[in-house]
Amino acid sequence: MAHAQPAQPFFLQAFTENLPPLNFSGASGPAGFSVDLLRMMAGEAGLGLDVQVQPWIRAMRSAAESKHSVLFSLARLPEREALFQWVGPISERRIVIYRLARRTDIHFTGLQQLQGLKIGVVRESAAAKRLLAMGLTPEAEIEWAQDDASNLRKLLAGRMDLLVMLDWAAAWNLKQHQLPFASLTELAAMDTDLSYWYGLHPEIEPTIKHGLQSALDRIKLDGRYAALRRRYFD
């Protein structure tokens, strides 16, 4: 008598970028708070999961080409609202403008003074769109970077005046250079209103979204979220 084969789990293709400590390429593969949280959620929801870390533009393209995809960590912007089915939030998001502490020649009292300075930002990021909306000129005033790590290297090498980065991402990347957080001086908090989310493909089955959101809600309620967060943020 033939035995029925167990149903295979629904399989999610997840795409993210190097944005430590949220998501990054670790020694044994994709790692970070958002990666670990998504794995926990997928296990809770009975879903298979493959995570790939790619440059941000490539990650966006890969996610758009797969109906069963999730892209993260995403700032939930109004212009992105219809592009994804949203699960979250993952974490708060505080985007800051920094200069090197030794650059005391840069005087700054407001965002209107960004004109004329060269500021580094990750291409296609929400912060990049904000700078463009403020009227800054690409190449002349905006220095594009592939990720935060290359952004910081350019600042340290004197290739630009300022950079835009998450506060805890700045601390993380400075540690990789064995530099104290005091190496940077915060000039202004550019964006503190948004949170990070997971963005599912707009055509994915709604039951997948609901299963992941329910799993996240349970993980936050029972203390697992707080315990995971302490591993990366404390």
Side-chain angles (χ1 to χ4, degrees), residues 129-168:
K129 296 178 190 301
R130 172 84 181 276
L131 292 176
L132 290 170
M134 291 167 59
L136 270 66
T137 306
E139 315 306 337
E141 294 172 314
I142 298 177
E143 174 75 19
W144 300 120
Q146 178 174 292
D147 53 35
D148 280 337
S150 59
N151 208 8
L152 180 61
R153 285 195 297 270
K154 290 179 183 182
L155 185 75
L156 293 171
R159 291 179 54 184
M160 57 200 190
D161 303 303
L162 309 171
L163 63 75
V164 178
M165 196 178 291
L166 290 168
D167 50 2
W168 35 264

Side-chain angles (χ1 to χ4, degrees), residues 97 105-120 129-142 161-162 164 187 190:
I97 299 173
D105 58 303
I106 298 176
H107 303 289
F108 185 91
T109 58
L111 294 178
Q112 69 278 5
Q113 292 183 325
L114 290 177
Q115 278 77 13
L117 296 171
K118 194 151 195 176
I119 184 166
K129 296 178 190 301
R130 172 84 181 276
L131 292 176
L132 290 170
M134 291 167 59
L136 270 66
T137 306
E139 315 306 337
E141 294 172 314
I142 298 177
D161 303 303
L162 309 171
V164 178
L187 296 182
M190 194 176 86

Side-chain angles (χ1 to χ4, degrees), residues 58-130:
R58 183 180 165 198
M60 290 192 298
R61 187 180 305 119
S62 298
E65 292 172 351
S66 173
K67 178 182 174 182
H68 297 146
S69 69
V70 53
L71 181 67
F72 68 100
S73 299
L74 276 172
R76 191 167 178 174
L77 299 169
E79 59 267 30
R80 289 175 172 170
E81 189 65 30
L83 301 179
F84 302 96
Q85 295 189 51
W86 299 90
V87 173
I90 300 169
S91 174
E92 75 280 356
R93 173 181 171 276
R94 186 171 183 268
I95 305 295
V96 176
I97 299 173
Y98 294 102
R99 66 165 169 82
L100 288 175
R102 65 174 181 263
R103 288 292 306 274
T104 56
D105 58 303
I106 298 176
H107 303 289
F108 185 91
T109 58
L111 294 178
Q112 69 278 5
Q113 292 183 325
L114 290 177
Q115 278 77 13
L117 296 171
K118 194 151 195 176
I119 184 166
V121 67
V122 174
R123 188 185 293 271
E124 293 298 324
S125 66
K129 296 178 190 301
R130 172 84 181 276

Side-chain angles (χ1 to χ4, degrees), residues 167-189:
D167 50 2
W168 35 264
W172 175 282
N173 281 284
L174 282 167
K175 285 180 182 177
Q176 312 314 304
H177 291 272
Q178 298 184 329
L179 293 172
F181 190 61
S183 301
L184 296 180
T185 295
E186 177 178 329
L187 296 182

